[in-house]
Amino acid sequence: MGARWRVAVVSGVFGLSALILVGRAVQIQISEQGFYLQQGGDRQQRVQVIPAHRGMITDRNGDPLAISVPVDAVWVNPTEITKYYQQLRTDPNPKSKKDPDPIKTLAAFLEIPRSVLQAQIDSNRSKQFIYVRRQLRPSVAQQIRAAKLPGVGLQREYQRFYPTGDVSAPLVGFTNIDDHGQAGLEASYNQYLSGKAGQRLILKDAYGHEIDDLGVISPAQPGNDLALSIDRRLQYLTYSELAKGVVETQAEYGSAVLMNVATGEVLAMASVPSFNPNNRATMTPALTRNRAIVDQFEPGSSMKPFTILAALESGRWQPQSTVNTSPGWVRVGGFTIRDHRNYGVLDLRGILEKSSNVGASHIAEDIGNKALWTEFHDFGFGQDAGVGFPGEVSGRMENWRDWSVSGTAAHSYGYGLSVTTLQLATAYAALANHGRYIHPTLLRRSQPAHAVQVASAKDADTVVSLLQAVVSPEGTAPKARIPGFHIAGKTGTSRMIGPDGKYSTDKYNTVFAGIAPASDPRLVLVVVVTDPQKGSYYAGDVAAPIFQHIMAGALRMLNIRPDDLPNEPAQLTAQQTTRLIPMSLTKRTEGG
């Protein structure tokens, strides 16, 4: 009997326990279902994105050109806000009537009508997340955070800031509101600059408020910093002087590239007009163009040094070789090519000094189109410069087999082909670097640049020496002279092609490409000014003075030793600084 009694008691206990568990399960599933559903909804685990910090863009010295600063975005959960107002209306507790009105309060913080915010929420009633305002001012974000509004939250994000503003905007580019590169180097190096977002697990209540941090799943990985070859001081100088020159001549636009001869690094690259990347209202497609890389033009007489170099490289010409340019014009293939006047017999220095189209044409006829094309091609013309910039163009230069007799002559003085400002600067840098071509770069170089010998050092140095005549009082660009320095350079004034495909009679590109110091080249600067409307349109009067202001400042900033102190006068004479060099206007030909 005792054993049976104990078995009955134990069985009864187990049976009673089972009945209690079943009853409780029924109670939870049926009578208390709503309560537990609400509790489950009130506390939810969510995976929250941890935004990654975008890498900085700096100049070669580490000064920032683009940085990301932490800001907040405000968002709402329309589902939760709708639920909140429903509960508020049905709650019999009078105290709840004093709870905040999240829509009214948030609208006041954002300084927008309540009706606008209400309409935005109503139209997204079924969603659990919508942005209301991105990149809030810190003061506004703090007010919203302190208010603890139901269904309203803040999310950390980053806003791109550009300390140099319009000075380097076409080069650096800009990002969109999500901090993704949209133009310029921001776009071409977007993947390198972008970080990898992280994740963390959080617990939120029914109103979307974070009530507990459950830990980081994966940390955010910041983006890489990008060091450019640009020197911010030289960039400011180049942009300001170019902008001043464009305004003074009432030109349509301008571009300039300053390069380190020995490394191929671009120390400054400016485009005018520009835009302020910190104010999106100033952005238009025309203003955001980096004209130094994406615009091409016929370089005019700035190509003549490479024609002279091709002559020397052929072995058929020496610096003292002469050309009879009389009577100041020549007929080639049905076209008349003219100089400003009859210069008579000129040696190679004289052809550059006077910018003789006739002399250049005679040389091209003698050495042939293949030799001329080869020289141009070896110096990078008609080829992509390879700096990886969005929209970079390679210029245009047809194969020599397609050149007519008149086309060969035209190429000798810079017509029939098109180049970019960067291409022209790179070619002049190779000329100044004793005939060694270095691919240009917009990034700071930490290793010695690879150079390719594309012309003999002797011939390249000879051309640089001959180009000093261009900035003499008898040359086409005395306004490019810099006291204390030997300067080598060349002007180029070319007619622009109109919409009808014909050469304009009143629109010109003006170019000056210069090397300093000429006795030991360190810097190359190319200035291009398009369609000047005020005063002279010749490059010696438009582009050369801008070159002088920029290069003089750059030589001073970089502490480059003067190479012409004993013989250089203290300042230019009034005649030298005001002299105009007139040139002939003929169909598809312009001197210097």
Side-chain angles (χ1 to χ4, degrees), residues 467-546:
L467 285 172
Q468 294 183 57
V470 174
V471 300
S472 70
E474 295 74 28
T476 58
K479 293 181 180 180
R481 298 181 69 195
I482 300 175
F485 290 90
H486 288 295
I487 302 297
K490 188 68 188 75
T491 52
T493 306
S494 61
R495 293 179 181 271
M496 296 175 63
I497 298 178
D500 58 357
K502 298 180 180 179
Y503 284 96
S504 171
T505 59
D506 59 357
K507 292 181 179 293
Y508 301 87
N509 279 309
T510 67
V511 181
F512 188 84
I515 301 166
S519 63
D520 181 21
R522 300 279 299 279
L523 300 174
V524 159
L525 172 63
V526 173
V527 176
V528 180
V529 179
T530 297
D531 194 20
Q533 295 293 308
K534 183 179 179 181
S536 169
Y537 57 79
Y538 295 117
D541 300 313
V542 178
I546 299 174

Side-chain angles (χ1 to χ4, degrees), residues 33-317:
Q33 182 184 32
F35 172 79
Y36 284 103
L37 284 175
Q38 180 179 354
Q39 291 299 309
D42 287 349
R43 292 173 176 83
Q44 298 181 20
Q45 289 185 358
R46 302 283 179 87
V47 174
Q48 187 180 65
V49 174
I50 305 174
H53 190 278
R54 188 175 177 86
M56 283 199 306
I57 298 178
T58 70
D59 81 338
R60 64 185 303 105
N61 301 311
D63 291 328
L65 302 176
I67 57 177
S68 290
V69 295
V71 292
D72 288 294
V74 59
W75 56 267
V76 299
N77 185 332
T79 301
E80 296 296 344
I81 287 185
T82 301
K83 179 180 178 181
Y84 169 80
Y85 279 108
Q86 289 173 347
Q87 291 178 343
L88 199 62
R89 286 193 295 268
T90 59
D91 193 339
N93 185 359
K95 292 182 179 180
S96 67
K97 306 302 181 183
K98 298 180 181 179
D99 287 347
D101 182 342
I103 296 179
K104 179 181 179 180
T105 306
L106 181 58
F109 286 146
L110 300 178
E111 299 180 349
I112 59 176
R114 186 188 193 283
S115 59
V116 172
L117 182 56
Q118 182 71 63
Q120 185 179 3
I121 293 172
D122 290 344
S123 62
N124 294 278
R125 191 181 298 272
S126 63
K127 297 181 179 179
Q128 295 186 339
F129 180 95
I130 61 169
Y131 281 117
V132 176
R133 180 75 60 81
R134 305 289 301 275
Q135 299 181 349
L136 286 170
R137 296 195 308 273
S139 59
V140 177
Q142 182 57 37
Q143 289 177 314
I144 296 173
R145 183 177 290 106
K148 298 182 179 179
L149 302 174
V152 177
L154 293 170
Q155 180 169 301
R156 174 51 52 90
E157 60 182 4
Y158 291 93
Q159 181 178 9
R160 205 65 162 165
F161 175 66
Y162 301 91
T164 56
D166 55 355
V167 170
S168 56
L171 171 63
V172 174
F174 55 89
T175 62
N176 61 13
I177 199 168
D178 293 314
D179 221 15
H180 297 153
Q182 299 296 293
L185 296 177
E186 289 275 33
S188 55
Y189 289 93
N190 182 65
Q191 186 174 358
Y192 181 81
L193 291 164
S194 296
K196 183 178 180 180
Q199 292 182 328
R200 68 186 180 116
L201 192 63
I202 61 173
L203 192 65
K204 287 190 174 184
D205 63 17
Y207 299 122
H209 294 141
E210 182 180 333
I211 59 176
D212 196 9
D213 186 346
L214 302 180
V216 174
I217 300 173
S218 60
Q221 299 176 15
N224 300 292
D225 293 341
L226 186 69
L228 304 188
S229 59
I230 302 299
D231 185 316
R232 193 166 74 165
R233 302 168 303 162
L234 299 176
Q235 182 71 19
Y236 270 114
L237 170 68
T238 303
Y239 174 79
S240 60
E241 292 296 342
L242 178 64
K244 186 187 302 182
V246 168
V247 170
E248 288 177 351
T249 60
Q250 297 180 7
E252 185 177 358
Y253 47 80
S255 62
V257 172
L258 178 68
M259 288 187 68
N260 183 319
V261 167
T263 67
E265 293 173 298
V266 176
L267 301 177
M269 177 179 285
S271 295
V272 174
S274 184
F275 67 100
N276 182 0
N278 300 308
N279 179 8
R280 301 303 174 94
T282 66
M283 293 185 186
T284 65
L287 297 182
T288 58
R289 293 176 66 85
N290 185 357
R291 299 186 180 279
I293 294 180
V294 304
D295 283 4
Q296 52 189 343
F297 56 93
E298 290 185 304
S301 296
S302 61
M303 290 297 294
K304 286 175 182 170
F306 304 100
T307 300
I308 298 298
L309 181 59
L312 295 173
E313 291 281 276
S314 72
R316 298 169 60 85
W317 293 77

Side-chain angles (χ1 to χ4, degrees), residues 329-350:
W329 57 269
V330 64
R331 291 281 294 178
V332 178
F335 290 91
T336 300
I337 300 171
R338 298 181 184 276
D339 287 337
H340 167 59
R341 61 178 178 82
N342 182 3
Y343 294 115
V345 177
L346 295 174
D347 58 11
L348 300 190
R349 178 184 296 271

Side-chain angles (χ1 to χ4, degrees), residues 352-368:
L352 292 174
E353 179 185 277
K354 304 303 182 184
S355 197
S356 172
N357 296 332
V358 175
S361 299
H362 282 309
I363 289 176
E365 181 182 13
D366 178 74
I367 64 176

